[in-house]
Amino acid sequence: ILVYSQYAGDLPRFRRLLEVALPGVPAAYAGTEAEAQPHLETVRVLYGWGFPRDMLRAMPNLRWIQKMGAGVEDMVN
């Protein structure tokens, strides 16, 4: 799982939640493209908000995208 959010307060909160809800499941947390870069080849689930659309093309194993907000216009337009 890659958790991506440009909002600084989100990442620590989601880290605490996921560690309890999904113990043993590998997760990475990124607030910038540079932080996400090392994980793009292997990530299978993206949970995010405000991630760059171009970043999706660099995730060959991506199987699920879950947005933190409503709407997908920013991803398909």
Side-chain angles (χ1 to χ4, degrees), residues 16-69:
R16 287 190 305 270
L17 290 170
L18 285 176
E19 286 176 353
V20 170
L22 302 171
V25 174
Y29 302 84
T32 66
E33 283 186 75
E35 291 174 353
Q37 186 65 38
H39 310 287
L40 298 183
E41 289 287 323
T42 58
V43 68
R44 295 177 68 80
V45 176
L46 173 63
Y47 179 57
W49 180 273
F51 48 84
R53 182 172 39 177
D54 292 342
M55 195 170 75
L56 296 175
R57 292 184 188 96
M59 298 179 181
N61 294 304
L62 186 64
R63 299 295 178 257
W64 186 278
I65 300 170
Q66 183 68 48
K67 288 193 63 177
M68 292 179 187

